[in-house]
Amino acid sequence: MPDPVPAYAELAVTTNFSFLRGASRPQELVAQAETLGLAAIGVADRNSFAGVVRAYDQWKTRKREDFKFLVGVRLVTTDGFEVLAYPTDRAAYGRLCQLITRGNVKIKKGEKGECRLTFEDILSASEGQMLIALPPDELSPAFTERLAALAHAAPGRSFLAGIHRYRGDEPRRLGRLDELGRQAGAPLVAVNDVHYHVPERRALADVLTCIREKCTIAEAGLRLAANAERHLKKPEEMARLFAKYPDAIARTVEIANACHFSLRELQYEYPDEPVPPDKTPQEHLEDLTWEGAKARYPEGIPNDVEKRIKGELAIIGRLDYARYFLTVHDVVRFARSRPNEILCQGRGSAANSAVCYCLGITEVNPNNSGLLFARFISEKRGEPPDIDVDFEHERREEVIQYIYERYGRHRAAICATVIHYRSRQSIRDVGKALGLTPDVTAALAKTVWGSHDDGLPDAHIREAGLDPSNPTILQAVLLARELLGFPRHLSQHVGGFVLTRGRLDETVPIGHAAMEDRTCIEWDKDDIDTVGLMKVDVLALGMLSCLKRGLDLLETHYGRALSLATIPGDGTEDAKPVYDMLSRADSVGVFQVESRAQMSMLPRLKPRCFYDLVIEVAIVRPGPIQGDMVHPYLRRRDGIDEVHYPSPDPAHGPANELENVLERTLGVPLFQEQAMQIAIDAAKFSPDEADGLRRTMATFRHTGSVGKYREKFIDGMTRRGYARDFVERCFSQIEGFGEYGFPESHAASFALLVYASAWIKCHYPDVFCAAILNSQPMGFYQPAQLVRDARQHGVEVREADVNFSQWDCTLEPASERNRYRFAVRLGFRQIQGLNKEEMEKLTDARGNGFSSIERLAAVSGVSRFTIERLAAADAFRSLGFDRRKALWTARRLDAVGVRRGSALKKSAADDAPLPLLAPHLSDELFPEPEIVLPPMQLSEHVAEDYAATSLSLKEHPIRFFREDLTRLGAIRNAELRNERLPNDATVTVAGLVLVRQHPSTSKGVIFMTIEDETDIANLVIWKKVFQANRRTIMTSRFLAVRGRLQRAGLVVHVVAERFTDLTAELRRLRDGECSAPEIRHLPSQGELPLIKSRDFH
Amino acid sequence: MVDPKRPFVLSVEASGGPRIAALNEAAEAEGLAKQDLVADARAKAGVLQVRDIDPAADDTALKRLALWATRYTPLVSPWGEANGADGFFLDITGAAHLFGGEESLLADLADRLHGFGLPARLAIADTAGAAWALSQFHSSSTVVLPSGQEAEALARLPVEALRLSFDTRTTLRRLGFKRVGTLIDKSRAPFAARFEKELLLRLDQALGRAPEPLVFIKTPPIYHSARYLLEPIFTADAVVAFTTRLMRSLVHALVRDGVGARSLRLSLYRVDGVVETIDLGLTLPTRSPTHVARLIGLKLERLAGAVDAGFGFETLDLAVTVAEPMEAEQTELVAANDDSFSPEQCAALVDRLQQRLGRDSVQRLAPVESHLPERAEMLEAVVGDAAVWPAPDTNRLRPPILLPRAEEVKEVMAVVPDGPPARFRWRGTLHDVAHAQGPERIANEWWRDRGAKPTRDYYLVEDKAGHRFWLYREGLQGSEIRSPRWFLHGLFA
């Protein structure tokens, strides 16, 4: 009879959240520990709890009930003392969080580095912790002393770790440690200092060491571990290694049993603030909801709405979510109640509920969109509701500061975003560690240009001119693939706030965020979901700023006071022109539907009502595209195909089981919710499994389980009689949703903004133009295109001028003949290199206008640099100076003694007397010989306009080349729309390159947009053509393209065949005159910016 | 290796990532330009070769070329930053006729530079500024500007030809003054009121109205000594003897400058005009005439028939080709019979061995950071000072004698999975183990050992006779290998 195997718990586990140290994911470690039959696993990362939630999440799926999971941390002091700490209860856990928070605060702003702890810090937080000191390589008296101090501070709870390191001296070392521990009162505990779950990860661990130490593997030498022993080992193996110290093995389990803390204890610590003292949260929420309902339906709440609200409130009550809704409401109420209202809009699973509509969290009327609240909140899964709120992007900070103020910095912080290794970075770092030259790693990294994380297939490697069978390259590729998805560092989430009832720093360690006045926790939003903390997403949206500005301008200039909720929508006579405009793809600047892909979809979808916009927003996404759902939907919409619903074999279920799910989208799944519902209804996933599937696709949390889900999904549906093709497309669609999951609830919220922005653009293009220019940078187009679009719609646009412009673009009464009442005056913000404060000084000092440059300089006190910038932008026209004369005058200001440059020092500028001569400054007083400046040609002006303001109202640059282009056989872009040009005709077009795109869904196809003086032209470049013309396509700014015209309805493309790079010609704009033949031109450096293309790789 | 035919750029760190500092023709053909971000450049060019720029090396190379150019005139001034740091001025006043006039001097210079693989742009003018401008902007790569035509020649060139700061030249362009000609003969005051001094100064310098002082390169000292003999010599001994004298005559200059010779060239001029040269490279700098002479002797011995004295050598010429700083030596303080082995003595020995055995035949051991014992040291060429060996790790003993190749031992008895051997047979003898320590587990170096070499467990064992061995088991039983083999890798005293 063999001895029974003693139980063993591994208490020293480092995961890959100890960045560049651990070589396995928390999930892998926990799963492996369970498989090996360990009694417990304690996860303890370096001064961090960042990985424990993932481990906990994995542990929750355990099969062995008696398998324990311990939350711990490996505390490392700045002078190298290391101790594992396991809290025995909630309070002790809170102390550890506070300890780490304190250490994080000590990191000075701007410097990278780890949490700073001292030994004394650790002692002060030792209450309630099980502490296992990790001995250094060389035992020293200093260590002995500290061990004793630790044991004195935490008597009975202090231990000394014994690690069997296979270094040849184990019996002696363990003997010494055993004795040392006994003397100090910290008995020996067996640990294996695990850094990876299986020995095969040693190579990756070595690579991580190299990345951390910034050396190559050949240089790393003794910094690497000598062997692969730092993996999880079976209890019997550990018992064998510690055969002489059975107590050290037994103690592991004793320690595990002494720790009672679980992350479950952190759940639902929702704040109480928004609830008045005499009410329960549910009562308060109900009161607010009915109050809001009355305001929404002044003529009485319709019956079905009332029923709906009651149903939702009942669910919220049962799940105890009232405080969550109240907190979101509180934030939204703050934004609304600002003296100058901050525009906001909620979205997310719970946002499109009648309750949220009544609370004013969203303006989407759920009755119009047909969204069902119950679909979004699963009662079975205790997952908290999710509402994201978008705010005007420039004013979000006010909301954030309000949250900090209301809940206190000790209870509110931003959650983390885990930055993962993606394929490029992964191969780059691994390649560097293996000593590949930067050229080779760059070539390898480039093989994934534009594509997502599908690893590095051999074909790509060969394409890069490298040999995939070269051992080092092969090794690099394999290791890079292993590294894929590993966390690299924590960053700050864009706006996810976590709020707690008690102190947040007792719930999770807080660190300083990169930005001032921000604090950031160690967990990301999935972690927060898992633990069940309260999270509110406070996001920034440029379009909301634009809409706010638009609505404000509308009120001041046209006297129409409107809000998002009151913009005339479906059913009003305003609506038809808006939908007409969108159906023409006349959507430059309109939220979400202005991209090229959306623009080619609009004429095909021809939206006629709000729900069409919901679909429009959702359909041009990787999900529906990869699932090949777009065409079937359009064909059904156009009545070409009949609507039918996929159904199972009658033996397995009712034929209409999906009708409910797919009704609104003509039987074709388009939204993420639909795909998930199919998984539940047709593939018979449990709601939990469906959620697991979604999360698998969305993140790297459950790598490796995709295959499992895929099999279950495809088997589940095909076995029930669904057509295999449909099933596979459904799964591809789910894969497509991946990280860019786009649920219907989001689409509905966005669709509202699509309509609002389209309405302003359609009915008030002057307002829209000013509003969107003042909200830059945002969206897809640059000011030049936005201005051009406005002018094409008959809006008068005027140049920035020192006597008329404000910082922002403004509206001025239009000249008589104009269609719209107002003209847009460009603001100083369009001029590059100006400072807002300084320009406000200038406009404040302007009075009735400046009479001269000298006067302007003296009175406003702006710097010469600024005056030269204004001259470069040709903003002195009202003084009778063109840019050249203005610059000539400005350069002399110093010499004639005009003081300036103090604009930013308010007091100095106010107190300083004006120079006596200032009013009389003119050339007569300081006579100088006249210099005739060379006259400037229009083309030069245009080039300079572009250089200073990225646009020109004088002329389009391409106009100057028109004759040459005609000689080349090029037609104007606008002519492409000419119906007489037959489909498939060979055409030549030319223009400035605006956009280059290489979308991941395009299979190597490049899209390019060029612009001439008449219109833009859209080019499609097949992979082969791209490869043959790579240089021209990637580098030119001005080109001519020959290709075939492709027209489908209103959508026109040119499929490019041949390219001519004309970039060098652009120089002629600025040089004006011809250059002499005997002059050699040096290659220009960064000359002539004109339009800088936007490249999306 | 860099392939000069394919796009190749040098990068320099800048804000926003590395940028291109220099590029070859192939890269220009790909549409790349200076100042482009390397990351963008990689996206543009298919495959791009990138190396870091090394301004110090550029500077050294330019200086070296400038020194070479002193063959035309002693007055050579390498360009600093303001001139682009990529060329030099030659003051050929009074020197051109030595080369048959300015035109032929320029042609000769162009030819020679071309021979070095350096395509050059050359111009001769009365002023440094005009010459610079023409070299940069004239379409022809060699220009000789007749005296007094500066204004006319410059007028057509762009204002950049005046070597102006970025601010000045962009402002001039904005104002429409794009050619130098638009500035010449204009009233000066309006320009003086609007621009830094440099504008008018550079203009005046280029036109010869203001002087431009140049800083000329100084040639480094030359250590060189020759002896013309009345009677030709034939024997090696004679050559060695004269070499000693030549070297002795150089010592004073070497000591004065605090340098020693790292490499030397002895030229032997034969009566019939043939020149034999012998090059010496030394491990450490030296000034010792006897050492040098001895090395020459060894070299001659080794070359044996290769050096043909023919009718005898009539001139000997010894030159120090590389000199390096060398500490002043305290001679004669050390007792002659002191048997300590100084680094200098060691270096001298190495030099002598190298002369006799060939350069590559003399190597020394250097430490390498590796867990694998046989890789923990390596042979390297003897150059400069020896590496410092780390102190031995007392916890991980290494045997004083490591066998060149581990020898398999047989008949091993050991407890599974990782017990020490109880007995083993090595070189025919059976050893019963009395004591053992271990295992020390050392895994393979996976990045070098393709095909996954097994892990080793090392033991220090002592047999009953008191001999101590270092053995290892190859392969982890169970996970890596079914039945492990054993090897003896070292012996302890």
Side-chain angles (χ1 to χ4, degrees), chain B residues 268-410:
Chain B
L268 302 166
Y269 293 79
R270 237 161 56 182
V271 179
D272 55 1
V274 175
V275 186
E276 298 275 357
T277 57
I278 299 173
D279 286 308
L280 285 182
L282 293 108
T283 310
L284 287 176
T286 187
R287 295 178 202 134
S288 161
T290 45
H291 183 49
V292 171
R294 205 155 160 194
L295 295 179
I296 291 288
L298 289 167
K299 190 102 178 188
L300 286 171
E301 206 173 290
R302 203 162 145 253
L303 293 171
V307 178
D308 180 9
F311 300 105
F313 302 115
E314 59 176 358
T315 303
L316 274 71
D317 178 324
L318 182 69
V320 174
T321 42
V322 178
E324 273 183 10
M326 184 178 167
E327 302 278 312
E329 214 174 332
Q330 287 198 328
T331 43
E332 308 305 323
L333 274 179
V334 186
N337 59 354
D338 187 351
D339 59 1
S340 71
F341 198 56
S342 72
E344 289 77 20
Q345 282 170 309
C346 179
L349 174 64
V350 168
D351 287 339
R352 289 198 298 270
L353 289 171
Q354 279 180 337
Q355 294 314 326
R356 180 161 293 172
L357 306 170
R359 220 174 160 70
D360 300 331
S361 308
V362 185
Q363 292 182 312
R364 69 181 165 208
L365 282 172
V368 175
E369 273 204 11
S370 172
H371 291 291
L372 282 181
E374 69 269 30
R375 287 198 182 137
E377 55 192 27
M378 105 193 145
L379 286 169
E380 62 169 23
V382 188
V383 179
D385 292 322
V388 182
W389 285 76
D393 181 352
T394 51
N395 292 323
R396 309 171 78 193
L397 290 177
R398 291 290 178 265
I401 300 171
L402 191 71
L403 300 184
R405 186 173 287 269
E407 293 174 19
E408 180 156 13
V409 296
K410 297 288 186 184

Side-chain angles (χ1 to χ4, degrees), chain A residues 166 202 446 888 1070 1078, chain B residues 46 156 178 194 418 444:
Chain A
Y166 276 100
R202 167 179 167 240
K446 212 164 50 180
W888 184 250
R1070 196 180 256 183
E1078 72 267 33
Chain B
R156 282 194 293 263
K178 295 176 185 176
R194 288 171 175 82
D418 56 14
N444 63 355

Side-chain angles (χ1 to χ4, degrees), chain A residues 137-138 164 166-172 202-204 206-207 217-229 237 240-241 434 437-439 442-443 446 449 464 471-472 475 479 864 868-869 872 884 887-889 891-892 895 928-934 936 940 944 1030-1031 1034-1035 1070-1087 1097, chain B residues 2 28-35 40-51 121 135-140 153 156-158 160 167-179 182 186-196 368-371 393-396 416-419 437-450 455 457-458 476:
Chain A
D137 275 359
E138 292 291 334
H164 193 289
Y166 276 100
R167 291 185 58 159
D169 60 348
E170 264 57 46
R172 194 173 35 175
R202 167 179 167 240
L204 185 60
D206 286 347
V207 166
I217 192 99
E219 297 159 358
L222 303 181
R223 285 173 280 190
L224 304 177
N227 54 47
E229 296 303 313
E237 174 73 0
R240 188 178 68 77
L241 295 176
L434 292 188
T437 65
D439 298 346
K446 212 164 50 180
W449 194 76
T472 308
Q475 233 163 18
L479 285 164
R864 189 179 88 184
E868 286 189 27
R869 286 309 307 162
R884 208 165 256 181
L887 179 60
W888 184 250
T889 311
R891 292 290 296 195
R892 192 176 174 231
E928 60 172 9
E930 194 187 345
I931 298 286
V932 179
L933 300 176
M936 219 170 163
E940 282 181 87
E944 295 290 340
R1030 183 190 182 98
R1031 194 187 75 68
M1034 295 300 287
T1035 64
R1070 196 180 256 183
D1071 281 356
E1073 73 246 52
C1074 263
S1075 44
E1078 72 267 33
I1079 309 300
R1080 164 178 175 260
H1081 280 282
L1082 293 177
S1084 62
Q1085 290 172 19
E1087 203 192 326
H1097 300 166
Chain B
V2 171
E28 267 178 18
E30 288 290 334
L32 308 183
K34 276 191 190 180
Q35 300 296 322
D40 291 347
R42 284 193 201 277
K44 290 177 185 176
V47 178
L48 188 63
Q49 308 171 89
V50 184
R51 297 289 182 276
R121 303 188 58 84
S135 76
Q136 302 293 306
F137 290 95
H138 201 277
S139 60
S140 164
R156 282 194 293 263
L157 301 184
E160 282 75 7
D167 174 64
T168 304
R169 54 177 204 263
T170 46
T171 306
L172 282 172
R173 282 203 160 254
R174 283 216 196 113
L175 290 168
F177 301 111
K178 295 176 185 176
R179 309 257 170 244
T182 53
K186 285 261 161 39
S187 308
R188 295 168 71 90
F191 288 93
R194 288 171 175 82
F195 290 93
E196 301 289 325
V368 175
E369 273 204 11
S370 172
H371 291 291
D393 181 352
T394 51
N395 292 323
R396 309 171 78 193
V416 287
D418 56 14
Q437 185 182 321
E440 179 181 345
R441 184 162 291 177
I442 300 177
N444 63 355
E445 295 187 336
W446 52 267
W447 59 97
R448 298 176 61 176
D449 305 314
R450 317 283 177 217
T455 303
D457 272 349
Y458 276 91
L476 298 182

